[in-house]
Amino acid sequence: MLKVDNINVYYGAIHAIKNVSFQVNEGEIVTLIGANGAGKSTILKTISGLLHTKTGSVLFQDHNLKSAPPHRIVEMGIAHVPEGRRVFSRMSVEENLEMGAFTQPNDSVNAAIEHVYERFPRLKERRKQVAGTLSGGEQQMLAMGRALMSRPKLMMLDEPSMGLAPILVDQIFDIVKELNQSGVTILLVEQNAQMALSIANRGYVLETGRIVLSSDADELLHNDAVKKAYLGG
């Protein structure tokens, strides 16, 4: 579904992503793990069209995304749930969801909102509440619900567990698994390597802008170097 081939991304003179290649097959959960600052978020922003690669290509269902503007990439079926949730804090829950549907026909929006409310009953209870007053877990649900409004084929999640209590982390990862089982392919960026690898099919380990290891998630969970670096083992 997604093929990233030999991308190099710079912030000015800083070479942030170095010759990175990977792929995500339809129906998978694939995770990118690595320390803070390894380049995980930069890769997602490049796929979304928010940053641009100097070399290589990003192909989504055989379409080259290199020159596509971000809104067109959303229309093609990629949704990006950013790090830190980034909800529209002064707008209501329902208004946030409506913003997520800006690429969709107007007559489909109400049904899509009801679909999100079925998946996230808490959001329905809070539908008129200002998003900035929600808890961290509720904001994460809202960010995911807003992404679902664009009817994505591929959802990219950037650090969904960040700042959440352990019981909420479990809940968010259960939701990610449910989304995948309902037909959404997932690319997951996560510092919580244990949780990410426990639900993923495959994983890639990123260090200072390079992929240094890739394998089935279960193999990475039991890899001594990965355990030492990321799993506290």
Side-chain angles (χ1 to χ4, degrees), residues 8 54 75 100 102 111 120 123 125 159 232:
N8 284 272
K54 294 274 188 187
E75 287 175 347
F102 77 100
F120 299 101
L123 296 183
E125 294 168 14
E159 304 283 5

Side-chain angles (χ1 to χ4, degrees), residues 2 24 37 40 57 73 94-95 131 138 186 199 205 220:
L2 179 75
V24 180
K40 306 183 300 295
S57 62
I73 291 171
E94 195 148 298
E95 286 167 339
E138 289 164 348
I186 303 287
I199 68 165
V205 179
L220 290 176

Side-chain angles (χ1 to χ4, degrees), residues 5-129:
D5 185 34
N6 192 39
I7 62 170
N8 284 272
V9 183
Y10 292 78
Y11 290 107
I14 298 169
H15 193 179
I17 301 299
K18 302 160 187 168
N19 305 311
V20 162
S21 299
F22 67 92
Q23 66 183 40
V24 180
N25 300 314
E26 187 171 350
E28 283 189 311
I29 299 177
V30 172
T31 186
L32 303 178
I33 63 172
N36 198 22
K40 306 183 300 295
S41 297
T42 299
I43 290 173
L44 296 196
K45 289 176 182 175
T46 304
I47 296 167
S48 287
L50 301 173
L51 296 171
H52 299 286
T53 177
K54 294 274 188 187
T55 65
S57 62
V58 178
L59 298 177
F60 178 65
Q61 296 187 319
D62 295 328
H63 296 286
N64 195 332
L65 304 185
K66 194 168 181 183
S67 59
H71 72 273
R72 175 74 185 115
I73 291 171
V74 174
E75 287 175 347
M76 291 168 73
I78 297 179
H80 184 172
V81 181
E83 183 180 358
R85 286 128 1 222
R86 302 294 290 273
V87 297
F88 299 108
S89 61
R90 297 184 181 183
M91 298 168 69
S92 71
V93 166
E94 195 148 298
E95 286 167 339
N96 268 268
L97 295 178
E98 288 167 352
M99 291 295 285
F102 77 100
T103 61
Q104 299 299 306
N106 287 338
D107 59 6
S108 70
V109 173
N110 287 339
I113 287 176
E114 289 307 315
H115 180 68
V116 170
Y117 286 156
E118 285 172 19
R119 189 170 292 283
F120 299 101
R122 188 90 56 86
L123 296 183
K124 187 168 188 175
E125 294 168 14
R126 309 262 195 277
R127 63 197 302 166
K128 300 302 181 188
Q129 190 168 326

Side-chain angles (χ1 to χ4, degrees), residues 132-153:
T133 65
L134 298 175
S135 70
E138 289 164 348
Q139 288 191 18
Q140 187 62 53
M141 291 176 194
L142 178 56
M144 294 166 74
R146 183 179 60 188
L148 280 175
M149 292 293 294
S150 66
R151 302 170 67 98
K153 299 166 188 165

